[in-house]
Amino acid sequence: MANIAVLVTDQFEDIELTSPEEALKNEGHTLTIISEDNKQIITGKHGTEYKVDQSIEDAIPSEFDGILLPGGFSPDLLRSDEKGEFGLFTKHFLEEDKPSFAICHGPQLLIDTDLIKGKELTSFISVRKDLENAGAKILEQPVVIDGNLITSRTPDDLNEFNNAILNSLK
């Protein structure tokens, strides 16, 4: 079974973490919550709390089989990391063609990899222009699959997103 790194901090969209987590765990996969170095607990926009399993400083991308990037305000907050560690961590998964899953605002972290030029993906509407400016081709679909990169638009698309994630890990 796959060990999935989840890059997330406060103000994540709760259901964009809880729903994929439930789907993945039901199939026997594990998730590791990775956040800033000084975080022990993160809190979603609607109050869901998670214990942080690892700091970004201690996390080694090669130890994970895939990555999940939930939306909400979390991706934008992670991008403000002065060392750029979250972007570098995410870059590993695209470079190694490992399963990479991002929903809603989650694709914002993909911009920092400098590897989305020519990739097909989707996101929440307010992120699309930034993704286009980074060279991505945006499709208006609930889920877009480009190789091992799976992106989705909003919580309304979670069933399709979760199904695509699980199918990619079979």
Side-chain angles (χ1 to χ4, degrees):
M1 295 285 100
N3 183 17
I4 306 298
V6 182
L7 295 192
V8 65
T9 192
D10 293 322
Q11 296 299 309
F12 62 92
E13 183 61 51
D14 303 51
I15 196 153
E16 292 172 1
L17 176 51
T18 60
S19 178
E21 175 192 41
E22 180 181 1
L24 286 160
K25 285 185 172 182
N26 284 344
E27 294 295 318
H29 303 291
T30 59
L31 284 79
T32 301
I33 303 294
I34 300 169
S35 196
E36 298 105 326
D37 297 336
N38 60 346
K39 289 279 185 189
Q40 294 181 353
I41 301 286
I42 55 168
T43 306
K45 289 170 43 180
H46 306 287
T48 304
E49 290 187 343
Y50 277 87
K51 178 187 169 293
V52 173
D53 298 312
Q54 281 190 319
S55 72
I56 189 66
E57 187 174 279
D58 296 333
I60 300 168
S62 61
E63 293 180 353
F64 298 93
D65 304 305
I67 190 169
L68 172 64
L69 306 172
F73 298 119
S74 170
D76 195 42
L77 294 171
L78 294 177
R79 290 182 75 201
S80 65
D81 165 42
E82 290 182 17
K83 296 180 188 175
E85 291 177 295
F86 291 95
L88 290 172
F89 189 94
T90 303
K91 186 174 189 170
H92 165 85
F93 294 87
L94 296 181
E95 286 177 328
E96 298 297 319
D97 197 30
K98 290 182 175 183
S100 302
F101 318 123
I103 185 168
C104 202
H105 288 76
Q108 284 179 305
L109 271 173
L110 300 174
I111 295 168
D112 291 1
T113 69
D114 295 322
L115 295 175
I116 61 170
K117 186 175 183 176
K119 296 269 187 199
E120 292 183 343
L121 44 90
T122 194
S123 71
F124 188 70
I125 192 167
S126 67
V127 179
R128 293 179 188 162
K129 190 57 147 177
D130 295 331
L131 295 167
E132 285 176 355
N133 288 340
K137 180 180 178 189
I138 305 304
L139 302 178
E140 178 52 39
Q141 300 173 191
V143 174
V144 174
I145 301 171
D146 187 332
N148 276 328
L149 176 60
I150 298 174
T151 54
S152 192
R153 302 175 302 187
T154 69
D156 292 341
D157 303 323
L158 274 165
N159 285 337
E160 291 175 72
F161 181 62
N162 291 342
N163 288 334
I165 288 172
L166 294 176
N167 286 334
S168 76
L169 295 172
K170 288 184 180 179

